[in-house]
Amino acid sequence: MDVLKEVGNIGAGNAATALSRLLDKPIDMAVPKVQMLPFDAIADKVGGAENIVLAVFFRVEGEAPGNLFFILTPEAAKKLLHRLAAIEISEDDGFSEMEWSAISEIGNILAGSYLSSLADFTKLSMSPTVPAVATDMAGAILSYGLLQFGQMGNDALLIDTTFIEGQHEVEGQFFLIPDPESFDQIFSALGVPSEHD
Amino acid sequence: MIEEQPIVKVGMAEMGTIRSHGLIRTTGLGSCVGLTLFDPELHLAGLAHVMLPSSDIAKEGSLNLAKYADTAIPALYQQLLQMGASARRLVAKMAGGAQMFAFAGGNDTMRIGPRNVESCKACLDGLGIPLLGEDTGGNFGRTIELDCQTGILFIRSVQMGIKEL
């Protein structure tokens, strides 16, 4: 678990740096939490299965496949767009085509820096697919990332990192859900005897 | 409210039943399917939050029957019969089976929602349970609630608001 935490730390650290550079202001991050959690508890991490979130989803391909989500509240996403992209931000709850594409590009930059640092560290190839964006109930979105685990049991391994800007503001969360088969890859790449908890 | 209605909550890959009065609910269905069986005379309802279409791919040690369409529906059916339901009276409704993310050239995993729906229908057919209503597909999440007094299935989604089946 400590190894996975370190892996999350390195990935998220780089993503936080990237975000901080994009926003031109300091972004902190919380120490990543690595947990084996029941499916339902994973949605609780972002306010419950029914809570509306915006998610940029990537399938991670390569030697340690998995699912990667960058999750924002809709308000945080609007703020991020407002600061970052010189596009008119629509006032209503929805997102315009332009906003979608900007969000997915931001997600892409962050996921890229997250994964490339993991790949450097583990010497395993990991690359994100093109991003897919959705805003909907957290449960509906995250369940998609749990399908691979669904075949194995009712818990999934989650590496969860929160970004913090200023005092309380949460800019976003990174969820990495490595496929069950990927643990062995990650552990052996790092020279750690494989143990599943 | 004068009388608190009991609410049975069913989590992902779980199932549950409720009798007489109250609601049975599951939240945040994406590609998963919420399948309900209902006996209108006993006001007995069961709900399964199905995650995957078939238990053939299962690699888990002890199989969680509620997780797979082909095991959840027979298990829920048996459970309701044991509680006194009549096989002739049982009717089904279901919702979910969305494709949350649109990818170009999606593989099989991407199509899991539609496959869940197909598999549920095949199982219902096999058991001879009529499907009275469905709200499936699309690319949005749903929360569903079955009222075991009336058998009405309420479906809530961000894009579509509230719908009744």
Side-chain angles (χ1 to χ4, degrees), chain B residues 44-128:
Chain B
L44 176 62
L47 167 65
H49 186 135
V50 169
M51 193 177 179
L52 293 162
S54 160
S55 58
D56 290 349
I57 48 166
K59 297 171 201 152
E60 51 186 318
S62 61
L63 195 67
N64 174 2
L65 296 177
K67 198 191 297 170
Y68 308 94
D70 65 336
T71 51
I73 298 173
L76 189 62
Y77 176 77
Q78 284 305 330
Q79 199 178 330
L80 292 172
L81 292 189
Q82 270 166 27
M83 292 170 80
S86 144
R88 280 182 300 105
R89 287 193 304 256
L90 280 179
V91 289
K93 289 179 182 176
M94 67 177 176
Q99 255 182 297
M100 297 302 296
F101 296 100
F103 281 100
N107 62 23
D108 245 17
T109 318
M110 306 300 170
R111 276 198 72 248
I112 207 87
R115 282 172 54 217
N116 278 335
V117 172
E118 287 159 25
S119 178
C120 283
K121 284 184 180 167
C123 292
L124 290 173
D125 265 2
L127 293 167

